[in-house]
Amino acid sequence: MSDKPSVLFVCVHNAGRSQMAAGWLRHLAGDSVEVRSAGSAPAGTVNPAAVEAMREVGIDIADQTPKLLEYATAESSDVIVTMGCGDACPVFPGKRYEDWKLEDPAGKGVDAVRPIRDEIRTRVEKLLTELRGTT
């Protein structure tokens, strides 16, 4: 891992969970971590309930765009966190993988997305603590 580790968050649509996780890590880590997110079948836009839930805690992800998971992006990431992308997620030897079992916020209102947002924050804080211990 370089002085600045890269973390890739991957879910199916890259519209909810992975976008919230990327938003949290950018917010909490600043420039100390390269933050990436992608999806195996990206949606057209970020989930509005995820945008609103993150806005409530002072993090703006409204300008983000769902991106297609690309082989090169995964290959060049130090840590890959999957959130329900199944077999579409590439596996590279020597990479650190985490699979976070999280409820999918798709189709849910902001009241249902808040607990998902908060669980993601807890997991991102733990990941960041671990990354800081290894760099």
Side-chain angles (χ1 to χ4, degrees), residues 88-101:
C89 291
V91 175
F92 295 96
K95 299 286 180 197
R96 175 178 169 181
Y97 286 89
E98 291 192 16
D99 185 39
W100 293 355
K101 305 287 188 219

Side-chain angles (χ1 to χ4, degrees), residues 80-91:
I80 300 174
V81 178
T82 58
M83 304 172 191
C85 66
D87 294 338
C89 291
V91 175

Side-chain angles (χ1 to χ4, degrees), residues 102-103 110-121:
L102 295 163
E103 189 175 346
V110 72
D111 288 341
V113 173
R114 285 184 192 113
I116 301 167
R117 173 202 66 202
D118 296 343
E119 183 175 349
I120 290 171
R121 178 185 181 143

Side-chain angles (χ1 to χ4, degrees), residues 15 19 23 26 44-48 50-52 54-55 59-66:
Q19 291 287 354
R26 277 191 296 273
T45 60
V46 175
N47 179 333
V51 171
E52 179 58 30
M54 293 300 284
R55 184 176 290 128
I59 301 171
D60 185 4
I61 61 170
D63 64 341
Q64 299 301 306
T65 304

